Amino acid sequence: MKRLLVALALVLSACSAGGQDGPTTVTFWDNNGGPGRTPIYQELIKRFEAANPDIKIEYVGIPSSSVQQKYDTAIAGGSTPDVGGVTTSYLAHLVGQDALEPADDRIENGALKGKLLPGLLETVRQTAPDGKLYAVPASGNMDIIWYRSDRFEENKIPEPVTWDDLTKAAVQLTRPAENQYGFTIRGGAGSVFQLLSEAYSYSGVEKFYEGGKSTVADPRNAELVRKVAELYKKATPEADVNNSYTQMVAQFTGGTVAMMHHNLGSTADVMKALGPERVAAMPLPKGPSGKRTVVPNPTDGFAVFKGSKNRDASWKFVEFLTSAESNGYWNEKVGQIPANTDVRGAEWIQKNPAVKMALGVLEDPATVLVPAPVYLPEYSSITKTDTEPLYQKVLLGQMPAQEFLDQLAAKLTTAQQDWEKRK
């Protein structure tokens, strides 16, 4: 029996030593897995493992529609990944569960110091209640106006600079008898976030909250909502009142409308359908103040979970993903804004006017970022379930723009005050 126990101990010891000598496994959850993004990560993982043979990456692709629920379940069960893709739309939710490692010291003392776009860093910091950096930004997005440059040239209309320019051009380019409209409004799912981006770009209001109260109901914001509502059916298709992203893009790429407000995420669809010789991108126009105020889109990045047993290897992988080479490769494939500033001069950016334009806006010191309070647990339900039907009433002339914004502002103020108390 004694010899048996000694032999067993030697076997266990050998197994233990073998486990330590083998590659360290880092589990990585992609927060938007699918045919568009998974192959990009597979290539980057292959490169990382070739350069780091002592680390193996276990990739798990999760659809964006279910990733937050997957994270919640993993946190509750103590089975989180080592590294996870996250966006600022639910970053605060994860931070509130004390699930993530701050990245501040790792960045300050590593290769990424001074290499990340300040605007994207700021949007990540503002998401956390303590101002720490709980994710390393990797990819940014920005609301833009796609427009038919060929039609503008044919009609000798210059690229709009102000909202008044845009509304005037929308009317000029509308020919209902030919099924041609100057603009398309997103009146269905996802409409309010776009509308708020438009309102703040027009008003020049620089903060989403002032003195603890939402600034959404500022009369200057209401003025923009009225301007957009006045375009409905006058310079837009009647179907716009119910249109979500899919229908809106279909109208633009199909040639029915001359201008569409979306973001860089529709680059592939737009370019495939129309090509760079017929379409161009511009930032959301300015209002009477002349200021450039931008409501940032959620920032995509990577976080290391506190439950990771391989934190050094995990941070090494995150640092690799956000290095200039990897970050440039990723963002070139998806057509978005690279977080690593060393990518700024890459040839592909010079050949992508939309990304180049967006980078110029975000890097301009005169640009004011006005982050929406996506950290509020109620933000999504307030802006979607509660408010999208009301915006449709505004478009249909059944509710004044100011009343619409007053109701939205009241709910956002209450949600912010409740969040402050909990914090």
Side-chain angles (χ1 to χ4, degrees):
M1 177 62 74
K2 185 175 181 180
R3 288 181 181 177
L4 180 61
L5 291 174
V6 170
L8 181 60
L10 288 172
V11 170
L12 291 173
S13 176
C15 290
S16 176
Q20 290 176 351
D21 292 340
T24 298
T25 298
V26 170
T27 303
F28 167 55
W29 285 11
D30 172 9
N31 60 320
N32 193 3
R37 290 173 45 144
T38 296
I40 306 175
Y41 278 125
Q42 288 173 335
E43 171 60 26
L44 289 174
I45 288 170
K46 184 169 71 173
R47 295 181 187 182
F48 176 80
E49 291 180 339
N52 301 273
D54 57 331
I55 303 175
K56 176 179 173 54
I57 304 300
E58 183 180 305
Y59 171 87
V60 181
I62 300 173
S64 59
S65 58
S66 60
V67 71
Q68 186 172 338
Q69 181 184 357
K70 293 284 187 183
Y71 279 142
D72 287 344
T73 301
I75 293 168
S79 57
T80 57
D82 295 293
V83 177
V86 298
T87 78
T88 49
S89 60
Y90 52 80
L91 179 61
H93 181 69
L94 300 179
V95 173
Q97 298 178 76
D98 195 29
L100 305 178
E101 278 284 303
D104 303 79
D105 290 342
R106 297 278 183 170
I107 290 177
E108 181 64 25
N109 299 312
L112 293 174
K113 182 178 180 180
K115 300 292 186 181
L116 298 173
L117 197 64
L120 297 185
L121 283 171
E122 184 62 19
T123 61
V124 175
R125 288 192 187 281
Q126 291 186 2
T127 304
D130 58 6
K132 291 183 180 180
L133 200 69
Y134 286 95
V136 180
S139 186
N141 203 343
M142 193 177 85
D143 278 37
I144 58 176
I145 301 289
W146 290 108
Y147 69 97
R148 289 291 299 270
S149 53
D150 55 347
R151 293 185 186 173
F152 274 74
E153 290 172 9
E154 289 168 7
N155 290 274
K156 296 181 172 54
I157 301 173
E159 178 181 288
V161 175
T162 68
W163 274 100
D164 285 343
D165 293 340
L166 184 146
T167 55
K168 181 180 178 182
V171 174
Q172 287 179 282
L173 291 166
T174 297
R175 298 177 178 87
E178 301 173 23
N179 196 30
Q180 296 286 316
Y181 296 91
F183 192 57
T184 178
I185 295 171
R186 186 174 183 171
S191 60
V192 173
F193 183 84
Q194 283 196 188
L195 180 66
L196 291 177
S197 298
E198 294 169 357
Y200 280 92
S201 74
Y202 176 85
S203 69
V205 174
E206 298 185 2
K207 294 180 180 179
F208 220 95
Y209 287 97
E210 192 73 57
K213 293 185 177 181
S214 170
T215 60
V216 162
D218 187 288
R220 292 167 290 182
N221 285 339
E223 188 174 334
L224 184 280
V225 176
R226 283 193 296 272
K227 284 180 179 290
V228 172
E230 286 170 0
L231 288 177
Y232 176 60
K233 290 199 297 185
K234 178 182 179 182
T236 76
E238 187 173 356
D240 279 9
V241 70
N242 293 311
N243 280 359
S244 65
Y245 161 76
T246 305
Q247 294 80 27
M248 184 175 63
V249 172
Q251 287 182 158
F252 183 72
T253 56
T256 303
V257 298
M259 289 184 284
M260 172 183 74
H261 169 198
H262 193 238
N263 57 51
L264 295 172
S266 50
T267 300
D269 291 334
V270 168
M271 288 301 169
K272 181 180 179 181
L274 300 171
E277 69 281 357
R278 291 194 290 170
V279 69
M282 64 181 180
L284 296 188
K286 297 178 181 179
S289 71
K291 291 187 289 186
R292 177 78 68 198
T293 38
V294 174
V295 177
N297 274 240
T299 298
D300 215 356
F302 305 105
V304 172
F305 282 78
K306 280 190 174 181
S308 171
K309 295 180 173 59
N310 304 299
R311 293 185 190 176
D312 287 341
S314 297
W315 283 113
K316 193 170 188 177
F317 182 54
V318 170
E319 196 172 77
F320 169 83
L321 290 175
T322 46
S323 65
E325 183 178 354
S326 300
N327 193 235
Y329 176 81
W330 163 258
N331 283 284
E332 180 182 7
K333 295 293 185 184
V334 300
Q336 293 190 175
I337 302 167
N340 193 306
T341 54
D342 284 348
V343 185
R344 184 66 173 87
E347 184 179 355
W348 71 267
I349 290 182
Q350 308 312 311
K351 295 179 178 179
N352 189 322
V355 172
K356 185 178 180 180
M357 177 274 294
L359 262 172
V361 170
L362 292 179
E363 290 178 334
D364 186 348
T367 297
V368 178
L369 298 181
V370 190
V374 294
Y375 53 82
L376 296 174
E378 306 91 345
Y379 183 76
S380 181
S381 62
I382 290 174
T383 55
K384 292 181 180 179
T385 307
D386 297 351
T387 312
E388 286 176 359
L390 299 183
Y391 180 43
Q392 292 179 322
K393 287 187 175 183
V394 174
L395 293 177
L396 295 170
Q398 299 169 359
M399 174 179 279
Q402 188 64 61
E403 181 183 344
F404 160 71
L405 291 182
D406 285 343
Q407 291 191 29
L408 175 55
K411 291 182 178 181
L412 290 172
T413 296
T414 299
Q416 176 71 13
Q417 291 171 347
D418 289 345
W419 184 76
E420 292 283 354
K421 290 175 183 176
R422 291 193 299 269
K423 187 176 70 169

